[in-house]
């Protein structure tokens, strides 16, 4: 039964049987316009229930089990039930555990314990929380009294148990003394051989762990340098041929097998198994078929493991149902196509190259193939490098060298050359046999043109012709004569047909088949369907069905950052001392700014001024004292020459494009590397994410302007009337991070705890005006003095008059006109003493919360992450536009745990949990970030590309006009 309609039948509670939950396929239950006061709990246990219609009844409440199906229900109608009270959540759902949260217990007690809280602090915190919430609750008081009685009973039981333990210990000691006396009396008696057998006096704990023999399951060791080494569970069932065919190594294994039996005190026998002749009992120990791997995994002690050589191969990836097809191509840059994904096998390095037009799902499957090759063929030692076309990476030079480009530079643009209707060549399978005095090579019939693993017989040898690859598969029980003949036939077969130059013959032994060979067969090594928001390591560890895996075990989670105290701010004296020390080591600093397509010297007057639309380069030379050698004396210090180090700081504004960084890497960086060599260090920084040592060089006078420099605007032909400018001075967490940032001139932005600089220009040429330094009532005196110094250095005193204005003493004429008139603004900045920003991410392979430093900015809000912001009165859950559903769900529970913990530690500052989205932030959220503005978009990069195209097109048109004019002149002559 799928649908059950019981409308308008005057049913009451007895009219619906409790066994209705046995209707496993019930999808719709409608009982509207009846007299139901309650519904049986079994109705909420129907697994496939989608619609529950109970309107116009007399419902008082619902079963608690209703909470288990609210998310799965498509329709839940409970209208016109005036006395209905929604039931409380069950205890498990209140804690936030269950499969929907990956079996993570988000209760405060559990998370405090995971964060390393002391037991005493934990109990005190929970007691305080319980006392604060239920001190006047009679039910809670009863619970406390019951707990007190239970604790008293527990104490009495512990005392009785201790007395019993003492009595047992005394009884054991008496029995031991009695046994010692009996043994001494029977020493003269002759013992049987098995009674005299004792464990050898050897310390086996050096070879085997103490818990060996106590845990159910299979444990496997391999012999490495004459000693047993336990291998991980994932490697069980895979045996290296080099570890089994060495006779001496078998002897060493037998020795340690006897040692293990002695260590466990077992009375069982030791069995010896050989490759290819294993017993059925041995094979049943493993869930899957055992695998033989060519070579040796470790050095046994008698022989060492030689490194295998792998030829350079390149494959183009094509999707085929649930798996992929690996088409062998020539290892040259011309083989690349922007619509495809390529796998380059360079032995210990596996490159996965993705074209700009290729599908990401195909790249993920190619990465899974590389993971399998590394694990099953390279002993998990191969490095996998993902390269995406037109994206920066330090591995590009080595990639191009692997494809035959000697200088390691990227060649010209990759062109599309693969036909759209490309169809791989169907492979042909031949069986090698011996006839009457000659060799036979009959073709194996393949049904429906699909190769399957069952076609290969372990007693035979086969040749698989894939046009670009010819594989010789040797069965484990094939004869030696047929093997030798197969190699000869494969070479002749390779030369018979016209094949590309990269075609090659590969020898494959049964049990050691490479992934390229397995992918020729259907169902041998299919690429599983995965959630592409997860990493390949996560898929390999948990499997494709994440829900089934989450039901079985508890997921690792790290929320310890939420329970750590806020970092204490640095005082002014310590900050000034750090600034002085770092500037003492600075010998010189040369500044450059990007103008057009090259970097030029920055004018001395603009040092310390940064524009959000520009890119800057600072070459800093630091003095490094030379350290004395062990054989040198302290008196020789004066004769030593001091060393130096050069650090290049690249600063990129929020509105600047990445073209500045590319221009720097191909121009100035090359010159600096040639001059300073290994003494050069390059540090890339973005606006408001500067290194603290770099900011110390400007001695708290770090000024950030909006848009671009005036000289560049004039060159671009952009002119505008002078407008008022408003700058906000603020320190984030430390006086070291003091910035003066230009913001929108609006009276709403003022705050009584900060200092502001307002420039009001007169006329059209900015040749006159007035500058106000506005000091809030609660502003810091040091920041007020700093604001006056910055204003004096920013503007020419001959053109602009300086006036210091305190809050409440503003002139009516120019000040309020410059910032758009009087408006209400905040009088306090208490959020500065409580603000914290946390990042929620699963990039480590598990969900973790980490705290950003106190000097955070708007650009720290990553688009693919979820953030938690605490301002002392509200806790904001910020959701990026590309954040995954898993991160959002777990971040919500983390924020709830954080708020619950703060209610205990800071009851005087209750927090509200609010949710906000990118681009929809409120003023309360924005004020926690210094210099909040519009989000950076890719429009600047698109504009640069468009201008470049217009520039090239212009010169092409001019060139064509000149050619046409020249031809016309020749015609006239």
């Amino acid at each position: 039964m799928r649908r059950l309609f019981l409308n308008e039948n005057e049913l009451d509670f007895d009219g619906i049987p409790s066994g209705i939950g046995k209707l496993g396929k019930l999808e719709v239950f409608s009982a509207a316009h009846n007299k139901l006061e309650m519904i049986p709990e079994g109705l909420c246990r129907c697994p496939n229930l989608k619609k529950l219609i109970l309107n116009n009844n007399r419902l008082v409440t619902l079963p608690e089990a209703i909470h288990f199906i609210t998310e799965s229900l498509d329709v839940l109608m409970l209208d016109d039930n005036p006395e209905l009270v929604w039931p409380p959540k069950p205890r498990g759902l209140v804690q936030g555990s269950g499969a929907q949260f990956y079996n993570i217990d988000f209760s405060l007690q559990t998370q405090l314990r995971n964060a390393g809280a002391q037991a005493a602090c934990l109990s005190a915190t929970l007691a305080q929380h319980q006392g604060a919430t239920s001190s006047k609750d009679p039910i809670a008081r009863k619970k406390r009294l019951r707990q007190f009685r239970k604790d008293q009973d527990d104490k009495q039981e512990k005392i009785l148990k201790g007395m019993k333990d003492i009595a047992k210990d005394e009884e054991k000691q008496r029995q031991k003394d009695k046994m010692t006396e009996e043994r001494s009396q029977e020493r003269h008696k002759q013992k049987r051989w098995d009674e005299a057998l004792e464990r050898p006096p050897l310390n086996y704990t050096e070879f085997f762990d103490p818990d060996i023999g106590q845990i159910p399951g299979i444990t496997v060791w391999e012999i490495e340098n004459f000693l047993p080494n336990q291998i991980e569970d994932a490697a069980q069932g895979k045996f290296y041929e080099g570890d089994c065919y060495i006779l001496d190594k078998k002897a060493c294994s037998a020795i340690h097998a006897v040692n293990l039996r002695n260590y466990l005190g077992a009375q069982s026998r030791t069995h010896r198994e050989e490759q290819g002749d294993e017993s059925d009992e041995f094979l049943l120990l493993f869930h899957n078929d055992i695998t033989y791997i060519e070579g040796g995994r470790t050095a046994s002690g008698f022989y060492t493991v030689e490194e295998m050589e792998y030829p350079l191969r390149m494959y183009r990836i094509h999707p085929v149902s649930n798996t992929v097809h690996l088409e062998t191509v020539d290892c040259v840059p011309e083989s690349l196509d922007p619509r495809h994904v390529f796998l380059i096998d360079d032995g210990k390095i596996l490159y996965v190259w993705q074209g700009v037009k290729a599908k990401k799902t195909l790249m993920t499957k190619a990465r899974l193939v590389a993971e399998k090759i590394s694990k099953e063929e390279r002993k998990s030692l191969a490095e996998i490098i993902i390269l995406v076309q037109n994206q920066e990476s330090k591995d590009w030079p080595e990639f191009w060298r692997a494809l035959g480009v000697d200088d390691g530079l990227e060649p010209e643009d990759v062109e599309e050359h693969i036909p759209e209707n490309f169809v791989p060549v169907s492979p042909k399978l031949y069986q090698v046999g011996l006839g009457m005095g000659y060799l036979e090579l009959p073709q194996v019939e393949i049904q429906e043109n699909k190769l399957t693993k069952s076609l290969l017989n372990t007693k035979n040898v086969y040749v698989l012709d894939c046009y670009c690859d010819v594989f010789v598969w040797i069965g484990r029980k094939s004869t030696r004569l047929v093997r030798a003949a197969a190699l000869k036939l494969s070479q002749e077969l390779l030369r018979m047909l016209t094949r590309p130059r990269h075609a090659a013959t590969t020898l494959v032994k049964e049990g050691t088949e490479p992934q390229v060979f397995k992918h020729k067969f259907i169902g041998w090594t299919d690429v599983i369907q995965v959630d592409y928001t997860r990493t390949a390591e996560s898929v390999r560890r948990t499997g494709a069905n994440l829900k089934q895996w989450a039901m079985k075990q508890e997921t690792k989670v790290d929320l310890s950052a939420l329970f750590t105290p806020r970092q204490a701010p640095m005082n002014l004296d310590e900050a000034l001392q750090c600034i002085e020390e770092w500037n003492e080591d600075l010998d010189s600093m040369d500044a450059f700014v990007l103008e057009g397509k090259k970097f030029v010297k920055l004018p001395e007057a603009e040092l310390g001024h940064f524009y959000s639309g520009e890119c800057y380069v600072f070459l800093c030379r630091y003095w490094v004292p030379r350290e004395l050698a062990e054989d040198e004396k302290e008196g020789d210090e004066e004769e030593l020459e001091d060393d130096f180090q050069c650090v290049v700081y690249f600063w990129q504004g929020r509105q600047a494009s990445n073209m500045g960084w590319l221009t720097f890497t191909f121009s100035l960086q090359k010159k600096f590397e040639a001059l300073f060599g290994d003494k050069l260090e390059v540090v890339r920084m973005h606006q408001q994410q500067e290194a603290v040592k770099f900011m110390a060089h400007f001695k708290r006078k770090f000024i950030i302007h909006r848009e671009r420099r005036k000289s560049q605007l004039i060159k671009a032909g952009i002119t505008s009337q002078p407008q008022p400018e408003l700058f906000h001075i603020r320190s984030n967490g430390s006086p070291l991070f003091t910035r003066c940032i230009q913001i929108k001139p609006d009276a709403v932005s003022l705050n009584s705890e900060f200092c502001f600089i307002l420039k009001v220009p007169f006329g059209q040429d900015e040749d006159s005006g007035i500058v106000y330094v506005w000091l809030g009532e609660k502003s810091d005196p040091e920041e007020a003095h700093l604001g006056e110094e910055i204003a004096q250095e920013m503007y020419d005193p001959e053109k602009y008059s300086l006036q210091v204005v305190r809050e409440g003493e503003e002139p009516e004429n120019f000040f309020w006109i410059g910032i758009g008139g009087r408006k209400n603004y905040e009088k306090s900045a208490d959020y500065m003493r409580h603000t914290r920003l946390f990042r929620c991410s699963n990039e480590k392979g598990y969900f973790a919360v980490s705290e950003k430093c106190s000097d955070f900015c708007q650009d720290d809000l990553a688009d693919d992450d979820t953030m938690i912001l605490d301002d002392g009165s509200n806790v904001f859950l910020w959701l990026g536009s590309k954040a995954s559903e898993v991160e959002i769900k777990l971040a919500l529970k983390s924020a709830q745990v954080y708020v619950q913990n703060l209610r205990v530690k800071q009851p005087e500052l209750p927090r509200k949990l609010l949710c906000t989205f990118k681009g929809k932030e409120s003023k309360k959220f924005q004020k926690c970030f210094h210099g909040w503005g519009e989000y950076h978009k890719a429009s600047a990069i698109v504009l640069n590309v468009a201008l470049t195209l217009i520039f090239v097109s212009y010169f092409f048109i001019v060139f064509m006009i000149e050619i046409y004019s020249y031809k016309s002149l020749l015609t006239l002559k």
Side-chain angles (χ1 to χ4, degrees):
M1 182 181 294
R2 298 181 182 273
R3 298 177 179 85
L4 181 59
F5 296 92
L6 302 173
N7 302 326
E8 298 181 356
N9 284 293
E10 298 185 358
L11 292 175
D12 55 7
F13 178 76
D14 297 332
I16 302 177
S18 59
I20 193 172
K22 298 180 180 180
L23 299 178
K25 297 184 179 180
L26 185 64
E27 296 180 356
V28 179
F29 180 82
S30 178
H33 298 279
N34 286 289
K35 300 179 181 180
L36 294 175
E37 297 179 353
M38 184 67 175
I39 60 174
E41 187 176 359
L43 183 61
C44 301
R45 303 294 181 181
C46 297
N48 296 319
L49 189 63
K50 299 298 182 183
K51 294 184 179 181
L52 181 60
I53 303 174
L54 300 172
N55 55 312
N56 292 97
N57 278 282
R58 301 175 182 177
L59 293 175
V60 178
T61 185
L62 295 173
E64 289 186 355
I66 192 69
H67 291 283
F68 294 101
I69 63 173
T70 51
E71 295 184 0
S72 60
L73 286 177
D74 295 337
V75 177
L76 177 61
M77 297 181 63
L78 300 173
D79 301 336
D80 295 329
N81 287 284
E83 299 180 1
L84 177 63
V85 177
W86 195 258
K89 288 186 177 181
R91 183 176 180 82
L93 293 182
V94 174
Q95 289 182 353
S97 61
Q100 65 271 30
F101 296 108
Y102 301 93
N103 290 347
I104 300 174
D105 188 358
F106 281 98
S107 62
L108 178 59
Q109 181 178 2
T110 302
Q111 294 303 326
L112 282 173
R113 188 184 301 110
N114 294 340
Q118 298 292 335
C121 297
L122 176 61
S123 60
T125 301
L126 293 176
Q128 182 181 357
H129 177 57
Q130 294 175 356
T133 55
S134 60
S135 59
K136 297 183 180 180
D137 190 357
I139 299 177
R141 183 173 179 272
K142 283 186 178 180
K143 290 183 178 180
R144 290 198 302 273
L145 292 175
R146 289 173 182 171
Q147 184 67 30
F148 176 78
R149 293 181 60 186
K150 184 179 179 181
D151 293 342
Q152 294 296 328
D153 295 339
D154 292 341
K155 289 181 181 180
Q156 295 177 4
E157 291 178 2
K158 290 179 180 179
I159 294 174
L160 293 175
K161 184 177 181 299
M163 296 175 65
K164 291 179 181 179
D165 292 341
I166 294 174
K168 288 181 180 180
D169 293 340
E170 293 177 354
E171 182 64 24
K172 287 181 180 179
Q173 186 64 32
R174 284 197 299 268
Q175 293 290 339
K176 187 181 295 184
D177 296 340
K178 183 178 179 181
M179 292 175 62
T180 303
E181 184 179 357
E182 291 177 356
R183 287 179 181 178
S184 62
Q185 294 176 359
E186 296 178 358
R187 282 180 182 175
H188 62 280
K189 295 182 181 181
Q190 185 177 3
K191 298 182 180 180
R192 291 176 52 187
W193 69 272
D194 55 347
E195 295 177 349
L197 187 63
E198 298 179 358
R199 177 183 295 184
L202 298 176
N203 186 12
Y204 292 104
T205 57
E206 299 179 359
F207 308 132
F208 307 108
D209 295 336
D211 57 351
I212 294 300
Q214 307 297 326
I215 302 175
I218 303 172
T219 309
V220 182
W221 291 265
E222 61 184 0
I223 305 302
E224 182 176 0
N225 294 327
F226 300 105
L227 297 177
N229 181 26
Q230 185 176 349
I231 64 176
E232 55 188 9
D233 296 343
Q236 293 184 7
K238 300 177 182 179
F239 301 95
Y240 286 82
E241 296 180 352
D243 291 347
C244 300
Y245 282 110
I246 301 175
L247 181 60
D248 295 328
K249 195 163 189 177
K250 293 178 184 177
C252 189
S253 300
I255 291 172
H256 287 291
V258 175
N259 293 341
L260 177 62
R261 186 182 64 181
N262 294 337
Y263 173 67
L264 298 178
Q267 299 180 359
S268 59
R269 296 177 53 192
T270 301
H271 298 269
R272 174 179 173 180
E273 303 288 342
E274 295 184 358
Q275 178 183 349
D277 194 22
E278 297 87 349
S279 62
D280 295 337
E281 296 178 357
F282 176 78
L283 296 176
L284 289 175
L285 295 176
F286 304 94
H287 299 289
N288 302 320
D289 296 338
I290 62 175
T291 304
Y292 303 115
I293 303 177
E294 186 177 1
R297 174 183 169 94
T298 60
S300 63
F302 295 106
Y303 299 97
T304 58
V305 180
E306 296 182 356
E307 292 290 337
M308 296 185 62
E309 296 182 0
Y310 303 95
L312 179 64
R313 304 288 283 171
M314 185 174 179
Y315 307 97
R316 187 173 64 244
I317 310 299
H318 294 271
V320 179
S321 184
N322 290 335
T323 183
V324 293
H325 168 73
L326 277 66
E327 181 72 16
T328 306
V329 297
D330 197 6
C331 297
V332 293
E334 290 76 12
S335 300
L336 299 174
D337 191 301
R339 300 169 299 173
H340 294 272
V341 177
F342 291 81
L343 174 63
I344 295 86
D345 185 356
D346 195 9
K348 291 300 180 66
I349 302 178
L350 300 174
Y351 297 97
V352 179
W353 185 90
Q354 177 189 356
V356 292
K357 298 182 181 180
K359 297 181 179 179
K360 292 185 178 180
T361 56
L362 192 60
M363 188 275 291
T364 304
K365 291 184 177 182
R367 185 183 63 186
L368 291 177
V369 174
E371 290 279 353
K372 288 187 175 182
I373 294 176
S374 174
K375 179 183 177 181
E376 300 180 6
E377 302 177 26
R378 311 294 156 81
K379 308 174 186 179
S380 298
L381 298 178
E383 180 184 3
I384 300 176
I385 299 176
I386 308 297
L387 297 174
V388 182
Q389 187 181 5
N390 297 337
Q391 290 190 9
E392 299 179 13
S393 176
K394 61 181 179 60
D395 300 305
W396 280 117
E398 295 298 330
F399 172 78
W400 295 119
R401 291 190 184 97
L403 296 186
V405 182
D406 296 334
D407 54 5
L409 299 178
E410 183 178 359
E412 297 179 357
D413 294 340
V414 179
E415 299 179 354
E416 301 179 4
H417 60 89
I418 308 300
E420 293 286 348
N421 56 352
F422 172 80
V423 178
V425 178
S426 300
K428 299 179 180 179
L429 185 64
Y430 302 93
Q431 179 183 341
V432 181
L434 293 178
M436 300 299 294
Y438 56 88
L439 294 174
E440 295 180 344
L441 197 64
Q443 184 174 351
V444 179
E445 183 180 357
I446 304 176
Q447 296 182 357
E448 298 181 0
N449 201 23
K450 294 182 179 180
L451 284 173
T452 58
K453 184 181 179 182
S454 59
L455 296 174
L456 304 177
N457 192 334
T458 186
K459 297 181 180 180
N460 299 331
V461 177
Y462 298 88
V463 176
L464 182 63
D465 186 3
C466 302
Y467 184 65
C468 290
D469 288 296
V470 178
F471 298 95
V472 180
W473 187 86
I474 299 177
R476 191 178 295 114
K477 298 181 181 180
S478 60
T479 61
R480 183 176 300 178
L481 183 60
V482 176
R483 297 180 184 182
L487 293 175
K488 184 67 176 177
L489 286 175
S490 64
Q491 296 175 0
E492 294 294 335
L493 184 62
L494 187 65
R495 291 193 292 265
M496 285 174 57
L497 302 177
T498 303
R499 304 176 189 267
R501 64 175 186 175
H502 56 271
T505 303
T506 305
L507 180 65
V508 179
K509 295 182 180 180
E510 183 181 1
T512 63
E513 295 88 353
Q515 288 295 319
V516 179
F517 180 81
K518 291 180 179 179
H519 276 84
K520 307 297 181 183
F521 295 79
I522 301 297
W524 195 336
T525 176
D526 290 346
V527 179
I528 60 176
Q529 298 179 356
V530 298
D531 177 10
Y532 296 107
T533 62
R534 298 160 57 201
T535 62
E537 178 67 21
S538 175
V539 174
R540 183 167 56 85
R541 185 179 68 254
T542 63
N545 194 338
L546 188 61
K547 293 183 178 179
Q548 183 179 1
W549 171 82
M551 292 289 292
K552 295 181 180 180
Q553 63 182 10
E554 185 173 335
T555 307
K556 181 181 179 181
V557 64
D558 183 11
L559 307 182
S560 57
L562 297 175
F563 307 107
T564 57
R566 186 174 184 268
Q567 182 181 2
M570 179 185 294
N571 57 45
L572 181 61
D573 295 335
E574 295 178 355
L576 294 178
Q577 184 178 358
C578 292
I579 293 174
E580 183 180 356
E581 292 177 357
W582 282 328
N583 283 285
E584 286 179 355
D585 298 338
L586 180 65
D587 283 347
S588 61
M589 182 171 65
D590 298 322
F592 305 88
V593 63
L594 181 64
E595 289 188 359
K597 295 183 179 179
K598 63 179 181 179
F599 283 90
V600 299
K601 193 78 173 180
L602 181 69
E604 190 71 22
E606 295 187 24
L607 188 63
H609 293 260
F610 299 82
Y611 287 82
S612 59
E614 304 289 351
C615 295
Y616 297 83
V617 173
F618 294 85
L619 174 61
C620 298
R621 180 186 175 100
Y622 294 100
W623 166 75
V624 178
R626 182 71 62 87
E627 297 182 358
L628 288 174
E630 295 181 356
D631 56 347
E632 294 177 341
K633 300 180 180 179
E634 295 184 359
D636 300 334
E637 292 181 355
E638 298 180 357
E639 300 178 1
L640 295 175
E641 295 182 0
D642 293 331
D643 201 358
F644 71 93
Q645 180 188 11
C646 291
V647 180
V648 176
Y649 297 99
F650 179 88
W651 190 91
Q652 180 175 339
R654 179 177 297 164
Q655 299 174 352
S657 67
N658 290 326
M659 294 300 295
W661 172 252
L662 296 176
T663 304
F664 166 73
T665 54
F666 288 101
S667 59
L668 275 184
Q669 185 174 353
K670 300 293 183 182
K671 297 179 181 179
F672 292 154
E673 290 176 351
L675 289 174
F676 306 110
D678 57 353
K679 295 184 178 181
L680 181 69
E681 179 185 359
V682 178
V683 179
R684 184 181 183 182
M685 305 176 302
H686 292 82
Q687 179 178 332
Q688 292 181 254
Q689 294 177 335
E690 298 86 3
V692 61
K693 189 174 182 178
F694 173 75
M695 293 197 64
H697 298 328
F698 299 92
K699 301 178 181 179
R700 306 180 67 199
K701 298 177 182 179
F702 199 93
I703 307 166
I704 300 179
H705 301 260
R706 302 174 68 180
E707 299 180 352
R708 304 190 63 186
R709 299 165 63 218
K710 296 179 182 179
S711 59
Q712 296 302 303
L713 294 176
I714 294 174
K715 288 183 180 180
I718 302 175
T719 58
S720 60
Q721 294 183 356
Q723 300 293 331
E725 297 177 356
L726 180 64
F727 292 86
H728 180 198
I729 303 175
R730 171 171 160 178
S731 301
N732 291 333
S734 168
L736 291 172
F737 298 107
T738 302
R739 298 180 182 88
C740 181
I741 301 180
Q742 183 179 357
I743 60 176
K744 182 180 179 180
D746 192 346
V748 178
S749 303
L750 299 177
N751 192 295
S752 299
E753 292 196 17
F754 297 113
C755 300
F756 294 82
I757 299 176
L758 175 64
K759 184 198 78 170
V760 181
F762 300 155
Q764 302 293 329
D765 300 330
E766 294 192 11
D767 54 354
S768 61
I770 186 171
V771 175
Y772 295 99
V773 180
W774 188 84
L775 309 180
E777 290 181 347
K778 304 177 183 178
S779 62
D780 184 72
E782 291 292 338
E783 286 193 359
H785 180 68
L786 179 65
E788 295 183 26
E789 293 183 356
I790 293 176
Q792 291 174 357
E793 297 177 4
M794 282 180 62
Y795 302 103
D796 187 357
E798 296 182 358
K799 297 181 179 180
Y800 292 91
S801 60
L802 180 63
Q803 184 177 352
V804 179
V805 178
R806 297 189 178 276
E807 184 179 1
E809 301 176 359
E810 302 87 357
E812 294 290 342
N813 47 4
F814 297 113
F815 182 84
W816 294 114
I817 295 176
I819 56 176
R822 287 181 177 270
K823 296 178 182 179
N824 295 329
Y825 56 87
E826 294 191 7
K827 302 292 184 178
S828 174
D830 290 337
Y831 59 86
M832 292 292 295
R833 290 173 281 278
H834 304 282
T835 306
R836 303 180 70 181
L837 182 65
F838 301 92
R839 175 175 179 255
C840 305
S841 176
N842 58 1
E843 64 181 7
K844 297 180 180 179
Y846 57 90
F847 182 77
V849 178
S850 59
E851 184 178 5
K852 292 286 186 179
C853 64
S854 57
D855 184 38
F856 56 82
C857 66
Q858 182 181 354
D859 292 337
D860 288 325
L861 302 175
D863 200 21
D864 54 351
D865 284 330
T866 306
M867 315 294 288
I868 298 175
L869 176 67
D870 179 14
D871 67 349
S873 58
N874 300 291
V875 174
F876 298 91
L877 181 64
W878 184 89
L879 307 180
S881 59
K882 298 180 181 179
S884 66
E885 183 180 354
V886 176
E887 286 187 2
I888 295 174
K889 186 181 295 185
L890 298 182
L892 173 60
K893 301 303 297 184
S894 303
Q896 292 175 349
V897 172
Y898 179 70
V899 172
Q900 186 179 1
N901 182 50
L902 291 179
R903 288 175 182 172
V904 177
K905 291 188 175 181
Q906 301 177 4
E908 71 281 0
L909 294 174
R911 265 81 158 182
K912 293 182 180 180
L913 182 58
L914 305 175
C915 182
T916 183
F917 300 89
K918 179 181 179 181
K920 305 293 183 180
E921 298 87 356
S922 62
K923 292 294 183 181
K924 294 180 180 180
F925 185 92
Q926 295 179 5
K927 69 182 181 181
C928 298
F929 298 83
H930 191 192
W932 180 277
E934 296 182 358
Y935 283 99
H936 173 63
K937 300 180 181 179
S939 57
I941 300 177
V942 176
L943 178 60
N944 288 339
V945 174
L947 291 176
T948 304
L949 293 176
I950 295 173
F951 182 77
V952 174
S953 302
Y954 171 75
F955 277 94
F956 177 76
I957 294 173
V958 172
F959 177 71
M960 294 301 296
I961 292 175
E962 290 181 356
I963 292 179
Y964 178 77
S965 302
Y966 180 70
K967 289 184 178 180
S968 301
L969 183 61
L970 291 178
T971 304
L972 291 174
K973 289 183 178 181

